[in-house]
Amino acid sequence: MTVRARRSELATPASNDWMFTTAIESGADLVFLDLEDATLPSEREAARGKVITALCELDWGTTVRAIRMNGIDTHWAYGDVIEVVTGAREALDIIIVPKVRSARDVWWVDILLTQLEEQLGLTKRIGLEVLIEETEGLQNVDEIARASDRLEAIIFGAGDFSASQGARVDTNFDPLIDFPGDFWGYARARVVVAARAAGVDAIDAPFPKYQDPQAYGIACDRAGAMGYAGKWAIHPSQVEIANTAFSPTPEEIAHARKVVETYRAAETSGRGASALDGMLVDAAHLRHADNITRRADLLGL
Ligand code: GLV
Ligand code: MG
């Protein structure tokens, strides 16, 4: 499986080709052209052509090139995959599959891609990310997380998930609702645990109030604290905030390297537990430190 930075995954409506360049130049780790909910149903088929042109002709630099296809319970799904992959060939890195309910939804896309890659003679495998945004998908998330070796990330989709659950809110912070803690705490925890257990990234939900950067930053920090590797952005102005929140700071990296040194020195002198600045350093702390240094290496920090 390809390991990638996905601190920010920026959504862009596939029908709005005038927005593509700004999205690609936003600094997002991944940009996806959205053939699903951000594109009107009447424009979804025509938008595939715009997507192919953008994937093939724009300069994406190091930005991960992705699309969100339509759900496999719609009549657009097979056309999205066949048309875009045939047109874009190796210029597509990731397909995001929305509203996944069970492992067989992932197999369906995986099998179609395998046939296409063989038929077209593609030299590169296309990766998958799935959205958990149906209550049924959350119930089956462990099996979904292991459904395909193409799977690179699981995204929590709070908007649709709230509707699926029958919840009366569809934003990440609603002061009108006096709910203790995180309204989506259970779902967020289930998604990140399933993702980490399967060795893939967990990505947090879109944050609809794009004119509230402070609240978005808090939401990023909370997701990062839980183990999420990144968050969706629905506006280019959110990208920088997510990139900062999901990058270890220089202080964190320096501390992590000191923890490793401290642990190794203790190990050499025959001890498993030691201390740094009044804090215990043992094998568990070494794992925390490794997580930080691995992320720093991935991000070139
Ligand atoms: C994303 O697709 C969501 O529904 O939140
Ligand atoms: Mg959705």
Side-chain angles (χ1 to χ4, degrees), residues 167-228:
R168 294 175 63 192
V169 290
D170 70 352
T171 62
N172 292 43
F173 287 99
D174 192 333
L176 297 176
I177 305 270
D178 181 20
F179 189 87
D182 177 4
F183 194 91
W184 290 275
Y186 169 71
R188 281 201 164 98
R190 256 201 98 168
V191 166
V192 70
V193 171
R196 294 285 299 181
V200 302
D201 282 338
I203 305 298
D204 196 34
F207 189 88
K209 288 183 193 162
Y210 64 90
Q211 285 175 330
D212 192 342
Q214 205 192 348
Y216 180 72
I218 293 170
C220 286
D221 287 341
R222 287 184 179 170
M226 286 182 82
Y228 278 82

